[in-house]
Amino acid sequence: MLVIAIIGAIVVAILAVLAVLRWRAEAQARIRSQRKRAPDLEARIKTVLSGPKQKYGDIFTDYSVWKSEQETRLELTATDQWGRLNEFTRCLVVRYLWRVLESLAGGAVVVVDQPPQEWNVEVDTGFRDQGFDWKTFGLGPQFVEE
């Protein structure tokens, strides 16, 4: 009788673990299916990236635009040149890209760097730009050594 109870408890535990694993796999599949590349926006962002590229050189090696029901997300991969810009100038560039993306679709900008930098509505409202024009990236010191 005791053996049957132990075997029953083990079977129930295994079934519970399998149910949790199945639930997690289904949740991950839902997340992956909701998030899709947005090639139409990627084409438009390419022209937007030409402004920072012209001013600072190749600061991004790659970018992609992802769209879900809640947001549009621009992910950028940065180069070493990006790291040579001072923090304020990096913020101006990311803010510029975020504002363009907001005007196109509403979303967030993430620079894939160490550490990653994310820009969204909350960050933007708290950013003190000291009067710099976000469309031109300002005229102040722009590199770390300045």
Side-chain angles (χ1 to χ4, degrees):
M1 193 63 126
L2 182 61
V3 173
I4 294 174
I6 292 173
I7 291 174
I10 291 172
V11 168
V12 169
I14 291 172
L15 289 175
V17 167
L18 290 175
V20 168
L21 290 175
R22 178 199 252 172
W23 175 79
R24 290 178 77 192
E26 289 172 356
Q28 290 292 336
R30 277 195 304 276
I31 290 170
R32 272 187 248 111
S33 68
Q34 290 175 348
R35 186 178 172 202
K36 299 178 200 137
R37 288 284 291 262
D40 55 324
L41 289 175
E42 284 181 357
R44 293 180 76 181
I45 291 295
K46 184 176 185 174
T47 60
V48 172
L49 288 173
S50 65
K53 182 178 181 177
Q54 181 180 5
K55 184 142 183 156
Y56 304 114
D58 288 323
I59 53 178
F60 302 115
T61 58
D62 192 26
Y63 70 95
S64 58
V65 180
W66 297 89
K67 191 151 184 66
S68 68
E69 291 178 12
Q70 295 84 11
E71 74 171 354
T72 302
R73 189 175 185 95
L74 169 62
E75 293 180 359
L76 299 150
T77 305
T79 65
D80 291 340
Q81 179 70 10
W82 176 255
R84 288 192 277 278
L85 296 172
N86 66 28
E87 185 177 353
F88 185 73
T89 302
R90 288 194 307 263
C91 286
L92 288 176
V93 171
V94 173
R95 184 184 200 195
Y96 162 73
L97 296 172
W98 174 76
R99 285 195 172 177
V100 171
L101 187 64
E102 270 287 301
S103 70
L104 293 175
V109 173
V110 176
V111 178
V112 181
D113 194 16
Q114 294 304 325
Q117 181 178 7
E118 182 168 352
W119 204 272
N120 53 36
V121 176
E122 292 81 28
V123 174
D124 192 59
T125 55
F127 180 64
R128 290 179 278 157
D129 62 10
Q130 302 170 6
F132 283 86
D133 182 4
W134 63 271
K135 293 180 182 176
T136 62
F137 313 114
L139 301 171
Q142 298 164 5
F143 295 94
V144 172
E145 56 273 359
E146 293 178 344

